[in-house]
Amino acid sequence: MAENSSSVYGYDSRDSSRALSRLSPEPQALRLISYEAARRLQVLPLRVDETGHLVVLSLRAGDMLLADEVRALCRQPVTMVQSTEASLLAEIDRAYQFSGAVARLAGESEAVRTQERDEYDDASPAAGIVERIIAQALRERASDVHIEPGETKTRVRFRIDGHLFNALEMPLAAHPSVTARVKLMAGMDIAEKRVPQDGRIHRVFEGHEYDFRVSTLPSIRGEKTVLRVLDSDGGSMTLDALGCSHEEMETIRRLLSGRRGLILNTGPIGSGKTTTLHALMRELKIDEFNAITIEDPVEYRLPHATQVQVNEKSGLTFASALRAVLRQDMDFMLLGEIRDSETAALAVRAAITGHLILTTLHCGEATAAPARMVDMGVPPYLLGACLRGVLSQRLLRRLCPHCRRSVTGSAAELRALDLPPETQVFQATGCPKCGGRGYLGRIAAFEILKVSPALAQLIVRGATAAEIASCAQTEGMVSLRRNIASLVRRGVTSCEEALASLGE
Ligand SMILES: [Zn+2]
């Protein structure tokens, strides 16, 4: 079944760069069948393959009469592939509309374009293309959209579950108008193309509100634009939804219960540290307290909290904001990140004086965090007195439950994950439900270091990460590696993804 469905859309699941090709039928394929005929016959031409066949998507791929009619229309051999898309007609509309807009834009000369005053208004071809890109990105759950000029074409790529995929391509001639339209929407200066700019777009899509943080970067081939999707709903994630086990939630609740001290969350960039901190803030019933966040950028809105956006340019740094917050009768604080020794010292001082500080630190394992704080100039005796716990986390892609395939794990991979030989694991395959990627969504894996009196003494003595790890494990801490291995054993993720998340 999996084999069959991956060939339905004519892509190879292992070739991620082509996984989204179904979303953008090639313009030369669309030209072979008119829009009217495509609608009447309910077929969507995708591309001309290596053997010269026009690949056509249809709900009735087995219908020989239909195949004959398509062949007669395009005057070349045809490969009919079965579509499972209930909304094929809508796909046909979108494909031809988009292709028409790109062609119109590419066909206009620079002179014509600069003459027109409302060339980027809501009714312009550029606006249609940008709408299409944004809608597609949100439908595909992309976190970032890249619009980048290349040698001959402009490439649009989406980051989905942490990986970049090609979404569509358009002629380079369309690039300036599309970029200008995005800049206009984001409140940037359209005429200024030589310096980086940043802005914001607000959008309501299918009933949800989204903010996009937009930035441009002048490159030798033109401006590259990146839209970061800030999903206001993403901030409402609970610990449960993030993938916390029952035991882990209990441990976290105990860490938070004192409502004082320092809690660190460590992990690489993009491991979802901020999302987890927001989930922790939600656990705290912050509406009864004075809760403050200092972030860069503010990604999610947190009801009942005062949220401060760091602005280095105008002098509002993590440290200066933190100093101001300490004068504001604060109870809990989410501090986006400890980046320097000044912020580290202020955060520790706040935690010592009876506040609860949740923050992130760029550092691999939970057990290495105390030494990292000491490196940043925090005296060990102060750290030992206020550090209540350290979380370390990784985000792993979840295998698509519709197409994952059971296999016997390779000896080397199982050994690396401390799993017994011959363990049955699951592998990514790819089907229409996961866009051919084999994965659908992500899950967080945690390691939680709870600072016991014995551990606090070790920290005060300036113990190494290895000493802290050994003490924590005798006290029952489950390591990140063991938690990740358990996700593999339960078929939530693959060996490949598990090892990549551990940097192996
Ligand atoms: Zn799938």
Side-chain angles (χ1 to χ4, degrees), residues 89-137:
L89 266 183
E91 278 295 321
I92 294 170
D93 286 347
R94 268 199 290 270
Y96 278 89
Q97 206 176 27
F98 181 71
S99 162
V102 169
R104 271 205 305 285
L105 257 191
E108 287 169 0
S109 69
E110 184 77 27
V112 172
R113 251 181 283 137
T114 41
Q115 272 171 14
E116 268 182 57
R117 296 198 53 185
D118 41 23
E119 61 203 303
Y120 312 123
D121 71 8
D122 292 352
S124 65
I129 293 172
V130 172
E131 278 313 304
R132 158 83 201 251
I133 291 171
I134 288 180
Q136 197 66 60

mmCIF file of all heavy atoms in Angstrom, residues 89-137:
data_model
loop_
_atom_site.group_PDB
_atom_site.id
_atom_site.type_symbol
_atom_site.label_atom_id
_atom_site.label_comp_id
_atom_site.label_asym_id
_atom_site.label_seq_id
_atom_site.Cartn_x
_atom_site.Cartn_y
_atom_site.Cartn_z
ATOM 1 N N LEU A 89 -10.524 19.179 -7.954
ATOM 2 C CA LEU A 89 -10.985 20.333 -8.733
ATOM 3 C C LEU A 89 -10.383 21.626 -8.196
ATOM 4 O O LEU A 89 -9.933 22.480 -8.960
ATOM 5 C CB LEU A 89 -12.513 20.427 -8.704
ATOM 6 C CG LEU A 89 -13.247 19.756 -9.867
ATOM 7 C CD1 LEU A 89 -14.739 19.991 -9.732
ATOM 8 C CD2 LEU A 89 -12.750 20.291 -11.216
ATOM 9 N N ALA A 90 -10.360 21.756 -6.885
ATOM 10 C CA ALA A 90 -9.780 22.952 -6.269
ATOM 11 C C ALA A 90 -8.288 23.035 -6.596
ATOM 12 O O ALA A 90 -7.754 24.117 -6.858
ATOM 13 C CB ALA A 90 -9.995 22.920 -4.761
ATOM 14 N N GLU A 91 -7.622 21.867 -6.590
ATOM 15 C CA GLU A 91 -6.196 21.827 -6.933
ATOM 16 C C GLU A 91 -5.994 22.302 -8.372
ATOM 17 O O GLU A 91 -5.040 23.004 -8.683
ATOM 18 C CB GLU A 91 -5.647 20.399 -6.788
ATOM 19 C CG GLU A 91 -5.278 20.019 -5.373
ATOM 20 C CD GLU A 91 -4.111 20.839 -4.817
ATOM 21 O OE1 GLU A 91 -3.163 21.114 -5.580
ATOM 22 O OE2 GLU A 91 -4.170 21.215 -3.639
ATOM 23 N N ILE A 92 -6.890 21.863 -9.267
ATOM 24 C CA ILE A 92 -6.791 22.273 -10.675
ATOM 25 C C ILE A 92 -6.937 23.794 -10.783
ATOM 26 O O ILE A 92 -6.139 24.469 -11.435
ATOM 27 C CB ILE A 92 -7.871 21.552 -11.525
ATOM 28 C CG1 ILE A 92 -7.582 20.046 -11.568
ATOM 29 C CG2 ILE A 92 -7.951 22.142 -12.925
ATOM 30 C CD1 ILE A 92 -8.704 19.198 -12.170
ATOM 31 N N ASP A 93 -7.943 24.333 -10.097
ATOM 32 C CA ASP A 93 -8.141 25.788 -10.109
ATOM 33 C C ASP A 93 -6.894 26.515 -9.644
ATOM 34 O O ASP A 93 -6.421 27.450 -10.274
ATOM 35 C CB ASP A 93 -9.304 26.177 -9.173
ATOM 36 C CG ASP A 93 -10.644 25.811 -9.784
ATOM 37 O OD1 ASP A 93 -10.658 25.497 -10.996
ATOM 38 O OD2 ASP A 93 -11.653 25.834 -9.069
ATOM 39 N N ARG A 94 -6.374 26.056 -8.513
ATOM 40 C CA ARG A 94 -5.205 26.725 -7.931
ATOM 41 C C ARG A 94 -4.012 26.659 -8.865
ATOM 42 O O ARG A 94 -3.330 27.637 -9.092
ATOM 43 C CB ARG A 94 -4.830 26.064 -6.594
ATOM 44 C CG ARG A 94 -5.496 26.720 -5.408
ATOM 45 C CD ARG A 94 -4.771 26.360 -4.129
ATOM 46 N NE ARG A 94 -4.962 24.966 -3.782
ATOM 47 C CZ ARG A 94 -5.967 24.535 -3.017
ATOM 48 N NH1 ARG A 94 -6.829 25.359 -2.528
ATOM 49 N NH2 ARG A 94 -6.076 23.245 -2.745
ATOM 50 N N ALA A 95 -3.780 25.472 -9.451
ATOM 51 C CA ALA A 95 -2.608 25.287 -10.306
ATOM 52 C C ALA A 95 -2.660 26.231 -11.504
ATOM 53 O O ALA A 95 -1.678 26.915 -11.812
ATOM 54 C CB ALA A 95 -2.526 23.843 -10.772
ATOM 55 N N TYR A 96 -3.829 26.301 -12.169
ATOM 56 C CA TYR A 96 -3.908 27.133 -13.379
ATOM 57 C C TYR A 96 -3.893 28.611 -13.036
ATOM 58 O O TYR A 96 -3.295 29.417 -13.735
ATOM 59 C CB TYR A 96 -5.157 26.757 -14.186
ATOM 60 C CG TYR A 96 -4.928 25.532 -15.037
ATOM 61 C CD1 TYR A 96 -5.160 24.264 -14.541
ATOM 62 C CD2 TYR A 96 -4.453 25.650 -16.350
ATOM 63 C CE1 TYR A 96 -4.938 23.139 -15.300
ATOM 64 C CE2 TYR A 96 -4.219 24.517 -17.125
ATOM 65 C CZ TYR A 96 -4.478 23.258 -16.594
ATOM 66 O OH TYR A 96 -4.238 22.155 -17.356
ATOM 67 N N GLN A 97 -4.540 28.969 -11.934
ATOM 68 C CA GLN A 97 -4.573 30.359 -11.509
ATOM 69 C C GLN A 97 -3.161 30.848 -11.206
ATOM 70 O O GLN A 97 -2.720 31.882 -11.663
ATOM 71 C CB GLN A 97 -5.407 30.417 -10.238
ATOM 72 C CG GLN A 97 -6.064 31.730 -9.979
ATOM 73 C CD GLN A 97 -6.929 31.554 -8.729
ATOM 74 O OE1 GLN A 97 -6.652 30.715 -7.876
ATOM 75 N NE2 GLN A 97 -7.959 32.348 -8.624
ATOM 76 N N PHE A 98 -2.434 30.023 -10.420
ATOM 77 C CA PHE A 98 -1.090 30.379 -10.007
ATOM 78 C C PHE A 98 -0.177 30.482 -11.220
ATOM 79 O O PHE A 98 0.550 31.442 -11.402
ATOM 80 C CB PHE A 98 -0.570 29.320 -9.041
ATOM 81 C CG PHE A 98 0.813 29.595 -8.537
ATOM 82 C CD1 PHE A 98 1.035 30.618 -7.660
ATOM 83 C CD2 PHE A 98 1.890 28.836 -8.963
ATOM 84 C CE1 PHE A 98 2.302 30.899 -7.192
ATOM 85 C CE2 PHE A 98 3.151 29.091 -8.506
ATOM 86 C CZ PHE A 98 3.359 30.127 -7.617
ATOM 87 N N SER A 99 -0.278 29.475 -12.095
ATOM 88 C CA SER A 99 0.575 29.444 -13.273
ATOM 89 C C SER A 99 0.310 30.674 -14.141
ATOM 90 O O SER A 99 1.222 31.291 -14.677
ATOM 91 C CB SER A 99 0.299 28.149 -14.021
ATOM 92 O OG SER A 99 0.754 28.237 -15.327
ATOM 93 N N GLY A 100 -0.977 31.057 -14.261
ATOM 94 C CA GLY A 100 -1.331 32.229 -15.053
ATOM 95 C C GLY A 100 -0.724 33.494 -14.464
ATOM 96 O O GLY A 100 -0.185 34.337 -15.180
ATOM 97 N N ALA A 101 -0.789 33.623 -13.144
ATOM 98 C CA ALA A 101 -0.253 34.817 -12.486
ATOM 99 C C ALA A 101 1.252 34.917 -12.679
ATOM 100 O O ALA A 101 1.788 35.992 -12.978
ATOM 101 C CB ALA A 101 -0.589 34.781 -10.996
ATOM 102 N N VAL A 102 1.955 33.786 -12.528
ATOM 103 C CA VAL A 102 3.405 33.791 -12.696
ATOM 104 C C VAL A 102 3.760 34.168 -14.138
ATOM 105 O O VAL A 102 4.641 34.985 -14.395
ATOM 106 C CB VAL A 102 4.021 32.411 -12.333
ATOM 107 C CG1 VAL A 102 5.470 32.341 -12.763
ATOM 108 C CG2 VAL A 102 3.895 32.163 -10.852
ATOM 109 N N ALA A 103 3.021 33.599 -15.095
ATOM 110 C CA ALA A 103 3.312 33.875 -16.501
ATOM 111 C C ALA A 103 3.086 35.349 -16.818
ATOM 112 O O ALA A 103 3.882 35.981 -17.511
ATOM 113 C CB ALA A 103 2.437 32.993 -17.390
ATOM 114 N N ARG A 104 2.004 35.909 -16.281
ATOM 115 C CA ARG A 104 1.730 37.329 -16.533
ATOM 116 C C ARG A 104 2.849 38.197 -15.977
ATOM 117 O O ARG A 104 3.335 39.109 -16.627
ATOM 118 C CB ARG A 104 0.401 37.739 -15.871
ATOM 119 C CG ARG A 104 -0.806 37.533 -16.753
ATOM 120 C CD ARG A 104 -1.953 38.454 -16.359
ATOM 121 N NE ARG A 104 -2.351 38.370 -14.966
ATOM 122 C CZ ARG A 104 -3.063 37.367 -14.436
ATOM 123 N NH1 ARG A 104 -3.422 36.356 -15.186
ATOM 124 N NH2 ARG A 104 -3.393 37.373 -13.170
ATOM 125 N N LEU A 105 3.286 37.872 -14.749
ATOM 126 C CA LEU A 105 4.351 38.643 -14.113
ATOM 127 C C LEU A 105 5.656 38.534 -14.889
ATOM 128 O O LEU A 105 6.334 39.516 -15.150
ATOM 129 C CB LEU A 105 4.609 38.098 -12.703
ATOM 130 C CG LEU A 105 4.064 38.885 -11.547
ATOM 131 C CD1 LEU A 105 4.650 38.328 -10.271
ATOM 132 C CD2 LEU A 105 4.406 40.357 -11.673
ATOM 133 N N ALA A 106 5.991 37.278 -15.258
ATOM 134 C CA ALA A 106 7.253 37.047 -15.949
ATOM 135 C C ALA A 106 7.251 37.703 -17.314
ATOM 136 O O ALA A 106 8.292 38.106 -17.838
ATOM 137 C CB ALA A 106 7.501 35.551 -16.072
ATOM 138 N N GLY A 107 6.060 37.830 -17.915
ATOM 139 C CA GLY A 107 5.964 38.389 -19.261
ATOM 140 C C GLY A 107 6.054 39.904 -19.282
ATOM 141 O O GLY A 107 6.386 40.504 -20.296
ATOM 142 N N GLU A 108 5.775 40.534 -18.169
ATOM 143 C CA GLU A 108 5.795 42.003 -18.155
ATOM 144 C C GLU A 108 7.232 42.507 -18.093
ATOM 145 O O GLU A 108 8.061 41.949 -17.393
ATOM 146 C CB GLU A 108 5.059 42.499 -16.902
ATOM 147 C CG GLU A 108 3.576 42.332 -16.996
ATOM 148 C CD GLU A 108 2.897 42.582 -15.654
ATOM 149 O OE1 GLU A 108 3.609 42.884 -14.681
ATOM 150 O OE2 GLU A 108 1.673 42.465 -15.610
ATOM 151 N N SER A 109 7.495 43.551 -18.827
ATOM 152 C CA SER A 109 8.853 44.093 -18.790
ATOM 153 C C SER A 109 9.015 44.949 -17.537
ATOM 154 O O SER A 109 8.041 45.385 -16.934
ATOM 155 C CB SER A 109 9.113 44.944 -20.025
ATOM 156 O OG SER A 109 8.336 46.112 -19.944
ATOM 157 N N GLU A 110 10.250 45.153 -17.166
ATOM 158 C CA GLU A 110 10.564 45.981 -15.999
ATOM 159 C C GLU A 110 9.904 47.357 -16.148
ATOM 160 O O GLU A 110 9.338 47.892 -15.210
ATOM 161 C CB GLU A 110 12.085 46.116 -15.885
ATOM 162 C CG GLU A 110 12.560 46.863 -14.659
ATOM 163 C CD GLU A 110 12.502 46.017 -13.387
ATOM 164 O OE1 GLU A 110 12.587 44.771 -13.486
ATOM 165 O OE2 GLU A 110 12.354 46.605 -12.316
ATOM 166 N N ALA A 111 9.965 47.904 -17.381
ATOM 167 C CA ALA A 111 9.423 49.243 -17.632
ATOM 168 C C ALA A 111 7.934 49.296 -17.338
ATOM 169 O O ALA A 111 7.446 50.207 -16.671
ATOM 170 C CB ALA A 111 9.684 49.643 -19.083
ATOM 171 N N VAL A 112 7.206 48.277 -17.844
ATOM 172 C CA VAL A 112 5.767 48.254 -17.627
ATOM 173 C C VAL A 112 5.478 48.189 -16.140
ATOM 174 O O VAL A 112 4.621 48.899 -15.619
ATOM 175 C CB VAL A 112 5.142 47.026 -18.337
ATOM 176 C CG1 VAL A 112 3.674 46.888 -17.957
ATOM 177 C CG2 VAL A 112 5.291 47.176 -19.836
ATOM 178 N N ARG A 113 6.263 47.353 -15.462
ATOM 179 C CA ARG A 113 5.993 47.144 -14.050
ATOM 180 C C ARG A 113 6.202 48.402 -13.218
ATOM 181 O O ARG A 113 5.469 48.691 -12.316
ATOM 182 C CB ARG A 113 6.870 46.000 -13.512
ATOM 183 C CG ARG A 113 6.038 44.773 -13.212
ATOM 184 C CD ARG A 113 6.881 43.674 -12.657
ATOM 185 N NE ARG A 113 7.635 43.019 -13.715
ATOM 186 C CZ ARG A 113 8.888 42.676 -13.612
ATOM 187 N NH1 ARG A 113 9.563 42.940 -12.528
ATOM 188 N NH2 ARG A 113 9.499 42.068 -14.608
ATOM 189 N N THR A 114 7.261 49.152 -13.556
ATOM 190 C CA THR A 114 7.541 50.330 -12.733
ATOM 191 C C THR A 114 6.585 51.477 -13.049
ATOM 192 O O THR A 114 6.422 52.371 -12.245
ATOM 193 C CB THR A 114 8.997 50.798 -12.903
ATOM 194 O OG1 THR A 114 9.325 50.690 -14.274
ATOM 195 C CG2 THR A 114 9.950 49.975 -12.074
ATOM 196 N N GLN A 115 5.956 51.415 -14.236
ATOM 197 C CA GLN A 115 4.991 52.472 -14.574
ATOM 198 C C GLN A 115 3.715 52.335 -13.741
ATOM 199 O O GLN A 115 3.131 53.314 -13.310
ATOM 200 C CB GLN A 115 4.585 52.362 -16.046
ATOM 201 C CG GLN A 115 5.493 53.127 -16.992
ATOM 202 C CD GLN A 115 5.163 52.790 -18.432
ATOM 203 O OE1 GLN A 115 4.109 52.206 -18.712
ATOM 204 N NE2 GLN A 115 6.054 53.144 -19.325
ATOM 205 N N GLU A 116 3.306 51.083 -13.570
ATOM 206 C CA GLU A 116 2.039 50.851 -12.897
ATOM 207 C C GLU A 116 2.120 51.251 -11.441
ATOM 208 O O GLU A 116 3.000 50.814 -10.720
ATOM 209 C CB GLU A 116 1.659 49.376 -13.004
ATOM 210 C CG GLU A 116 0.809 49.111 -14.214
ATOM 211 C CD GLU A 116 0.387 47.658 -14.279
ATOM 212 O OE1 GLU A 116 -0.228 47.208 -13.306
ATOM 213 O OE2 GLU A 116 0.699 47.019 -15.286
ATOM 214 N N ARG A 117 1.167 52.055 -11.008
ATOM 215 C CA ARG A 117 1.238 52.564 -9.654
ATOM 216 C C ARG A 117 0.801 51.520 -8.632
ATOM 217 O O ARG A 117 1.398 51.384 -7.584
ATOM 218 C CB ARG A 117 0.383 53.826 -9.511
ATOM 219 C CG ARG A 117 0.924 54.958 -10.380
ATOM 220 C CD ARG A 117 0.400 56.266 -9.932
ATOM 221 N NE ARG A 117 0.641 56.457 -8.504
ATOM 222 C CZ ARG A 117 0.203 57.493 -7.833
ATOM 223 N NH1 ARG A 117 -0.484 58.413 -8.439
ATOM 224 N NH2 ARG A 117 0.453 57.624 -6.538
ATOM 225 N N ASP A 118 -0.265 50.780 -8.964
ATOM 226 C CA ASP A 118 -0.732 49.811 -7.979
ATOM 227 C C ASP A 118 -0.364 48.390 -8.392
ATOM 228 O O ASP A 118 -1.168 47.487 -8.367
ATOM 229 C CB ASP A 118 -2.223 49.946 -7.744
ATOM 230 C CG ASP A 118 -2.971 50.182 -9.044
ATOM 231 O OD1 ASP A 118 -2.426 49.808 -10.101
ATOM 232 O OD2 ASP A 118 -4.066 50.719 -9.003
ATOM 233 N N GLU A 119 0.896 48.246 -8.790
ATOM 234 C CA GLU A 119 1.348 46.948 -9.267
ATOM 235 C C GLU A 119 1.390 45.883 -8.162
ATOM 236 O O GLU A 119 1.418 44.706 -8.454
ATOM 237 C CB GLU A 119 2.745 47.088 -9.865
ATOM 238 C CG GLU A 119 3.744 47.569 -8.815
ATOM 239 C CD GLU A 119 4.949 48.251 -9.428
ATOM 240 O OE1 GLU A 119 5.603 47.607 -10.250
ATOM 241 O OE2 GLU A 119 5.225 49.404 -9.077
ATOM 242 N N TYR A 120 1.443 46.322 -6.901
ATOM 243 C CA TYR A 120 1.523 45.338 -5.816
ATOM 244 C C TYR A 120 0.253 45.339 -4.969
ATOM 245 O O TYR A 120 0.250 44.897 -3.843
ATOM 246 C CB TYR A 120 2.734 45.618 -4.918
ATOM 247 C CG TYR A 120 3.999 45.858 -5.695
ATOM 248 C CD1 TYR A 120 4.724 47.030 -5.539
ATOM 249 C CD2 TYR A 120 4.447 44.902 -6.605
ATOM 250 C CE1 TYR A 120 5.876 47.247 -6.257
ATOM 251 C CE2 TYR A 120 5.595 45.113 -7.341
ATOM 252 C CZ TYR A 120 6.304 46.292 -7.162
ATOM 253 O OH TYR A 120 7.435 46.505 -7.884
ATOM 254 N N ASP A 121 -0.833 45.927 -5.504
ATOM 255 C CA ASP A 121 -2.040 45.985 -4.683
ATOM 256 C C ASP A 121 -2.687 44.605 -4.593
ATOM 257 O O ASP A 121 -2.214 43.638 -5.188
ATOM 258 C CB ASP A 121 -3.018 47.056 -5.200
ATOM 259 C CG ASP A 121 -3.666 46.642 -6.521
ATOM 260 O OD1 ASP A 121 -3.479 45.482 -6.936
ATOM 261 O OD2 ASP A 121 -4.335 47.487 -7.129
ATOM 262 N N ASP A 122 -3.788 44.545 -3.858
ATOM 263 C CA ASP A 122 -4.398 43.246 -3.563
ATOM 264 C C ASP A 122 -4.819 42.471 -4.804
ATOM 265 O O ASP A 122 -4.921 41.252 -4.777
ATOM 266 C CB ASP A 122 -5.615 43.443 -2.650
ATOM 267 C CG ASP A 122 -5.178 43.908 -1.270
ATOM 268 O OD1 ASP A 122 -3.953 43.908 -1.014
ATOM 269 O OD2 ASP A 122 -6.045 44.288 -0.467
ATOM 270 N N ALA A 123 -5.078 43.187 -5.915
ATOM 271 C CA ALA A 123 -5.567 42.505 -7.110
ATOM 272 C C ALA A 123 -4.442 42.142 -8.072
ATOM 273 O O ALA A 123 -4.690 41.576 -9.133
ATOM 274 C CB ALA A 123 -6.587 43.403 -7.805
ATOM 275 N N SER A 124 -3.198 42.473 -7.736
ATOM 276 C CA SER A 124 -2.093 42.246 -8.670
ATOM 277 C C SER A 124 -1.716 40.764 -8.742
ATOM 278 O O SER A 124 -1.988 40.005 -7.809
ATOM 279 C CB SER A 124 -0.875 43.055 -8.205
ATOM 280 O OG SER A 124 -0.434 42.560 -6.956
ATOM 281 N N PRO A 125 -1.079 40.341 -9.844
ATOM 282 C CA PRO A 125 -0.620 38.951 -9.928
ATOM 283 C C PRO A 125 0.342 38.606 -8.777
ATOM 284 O O PRO A 125 0.274 37.518 -8.211
ATOM 285 C CB PRO A 125 0.124 38.881 -11.259
ATOM 286 C CG PRO A 125 -0.350 40.047 -12.055
ATOM 287 C CD PRO A 125 -0.782 41.101 -11.078
ATOM 288 N N ALA A 126 1.211 39.561 -8.399
ATOM 289 C CA ALA A 126 2.173 39.304 -7.320
ATOM 290 C C ALA A 126 1.434 38.979 -6.022
ATOM 291 O O ALA A 126 1.802 38.067 -5.285
ATOM 292 C CB ALA A 126 3.084 40.513 -7.115
ATOM 293 N N ALA A 127 0.336 39.715 -5.771
ATOM 294 C CA ALA A 127 -0.429 39.474 -4.541
ATOM 295 C C ALA A 127 -1.026 38.070 -4.562
ATOM 296 O O ALA A 127 -1.035 37.377 -3.545
ATOM 297 C CB ALA A 127 -1.529 40.521 -4.401
ATOM 298 N N GLY A 128 -1.495 37.649 -5.736
ATOM 299 C CA GLY A 128 -2.074 36.305 -5.861
ATOM 300 C C GLY A 128 -1.047 35.234 -5.560
ATOM 301 O O GLY A 128 -1.328 34.248 -4.879
ATOM 302 N N ILE A 129 0.175 35.452 -6.057
ATOM 303 C CA ILE A 129 1.235 34.469 -5.844
ATOM 304 C C ILE A 129 1.595 34.402 -4.359
ATOM 305 O O ILE A 129 1.726 33.319 -3.786
ATOM 306 C CB ILE A 129 2.478 34.829 -6.691
ATOM 307 C CG1 ILE A 129 2.150 34.663 -8.169
ATOM 308 C CG2 ILE A 129 3.671 33.965 -6.304
ATOM 309 C CD1 ILE A 129 3.225 35.172 -9.104
ATOM 310 N N VAL A 130 1.727 35.567 -3.732
ATOM 311 C CA VAL A 130 2.106 35.589 -2.309
ATOM 312 C C VAL A 130 1.012 34.930 -1.467
ATOM 313 O O VAL A 130 1.305 34.153 -0.550
ATOM 314 C CB VAL A 130 2.396 37.036 -1.842
ATOM 315 C CG1 VAL A 130 2.603 37.077 -0.332
ATOM 316 C CG2 VAL A 130 3.617 37.589 -2.572
ATOM 317 N N GLU A 131 -0.257 35.208 -1.797
ATOM 318 C CA GLU A 131 -1.366 34.570 -1.078
ATOM 319 C C GLU A 131 -1.259 33.056 -1.183
ATOM 320 O O GLU A 131 -1.434 32.320 -0.228
ATOM 321 C CB GLU A 131 -2.718 35.004 -1.664
ATOM 322 C CG GLU A 131 -3.212 36.332 -1.155
ATOM 323 C CD GLU A 131 -3.111 36.464 0.355
ATOM 324 O OE1 GLU A 131 -3.669 35.608 1.061
ATOM 325 O OE2 GLU A 131 -2.440 37.393 0.838
ATOM 326 N N ARG A 132 -0.979 32.609 -2.397
ATOM 327 C CA ARG A 132 -0.885 31.169 -2.658
ATOM 328 C C ARG A 132 0.264 30.558 -1.838
ATOM 329 O O ARG A 132 0.119 29.490 -1.249
ATOM 330 C CB ARG A 132 -0.671 30.961 -4.160
ATOM 331 C CG ARG A 132 -0.060 29.646 -4.556
ATOM 332 C CD ARG A 132 -1.097 28.537 -4.646
ATOM 333 N NE ARG A 132 -0.458 27.245 -4.532
ATOM 334 C CZ ARG A 132 -0.318 26.388 -5.524
ATOM 335 N NH1 ARG A 132 -0.786 26.675 -6.712
ATOM 336 N NH2 ARG A 132 0.286 25.244 -5.325
ATOM 337 N N ILE A 133 1.399 31.256 -1.805
ATOM 338 C CA ILE A 133 2.561 30.740 -1.067
ATOM 339 C C ILE A 133 2.226 30.649 0.428
ATOM 340 O O ILE A 133 2.481 29.636 1.076
ATOM 341 C CB ILE A 133 3.801 31.648 -1.285
ATOM 342 C CG1 ILE A 133 4.289 31.541 -2.732
ATOM 343 C CG2 ILE A 133 4.925 31.281 -0.305
ATOM 344 C CD1 ILE A 133 5.369 32.549 -3.102
ATOM 345 N N ILE A 134 1.613 31.714 0.963
ATOM 346 C CA ILE A 134 1.301 31.742 2.395
ATOM 347 C C ILE A 134 0.282 30.651 2.745
ATOM 348 O O ILE A 134 0.455 29.908 3.718
ATOM 349 C CB ILE A 134 0.789 33.144 2.815
ATOM 350 C CG1 ILE A 134 1.953 34.144 2.807
ATOM 351 C CG2 ILE A 134 0.125 33.100 4.185
ATOM 352 C CD1 ILE A 134 1.593 35.553 3.194
ATOM 353 N N ALA A 135 -0.762 30.521 1.923
ATOM 354 C CA ALA A 135 -1.796 29.517 2.210
ATOM 355 C C ALA A 135 -1.187 28.120 2.175
ATOM 356 O O ALA A 135 -1.447 27.291 3.048
ATOM 357 C CB ALA A 135 -2.929 29.630 1.199
ATOM 358 N N GLN A 136 -0.345 27.883 1.173
ATOM 359 C CA GLN A 136 0.278 26.564 1.043
ATOM 360 C C GLN A 136 1.179 26.276 2.241
ATOM 361 O O GLN A 136 1.195 25.177 2.774
ATOM 362 C CB GLN A 136 1.096 26.530 -0.258
ATOM 363 C CG GLN A 136 1.437 25.133 -0.698
ATOM 364 C CD GLN A 136 0.199 24.351 -1.094
ATOM 365 O OE1 GLN A 136 -0.520 24.740 -2.007
ATOM 366 N NE2 GLN A 136 -0.085 23.290 -0.369
ATOM 367 N N ALA A 137 1.942 27.295 2.662
ATOM 368 C CA ALA A 137 2.864 27.126 3.797
ATOM 369 C C ALA A 137 2.084 26.764 5.062
ATOM 370 O O ALA A 137 2.475 25.877 5.810
ATOM 371 C CB ALA A 137 3.669 28.402 4.018
#
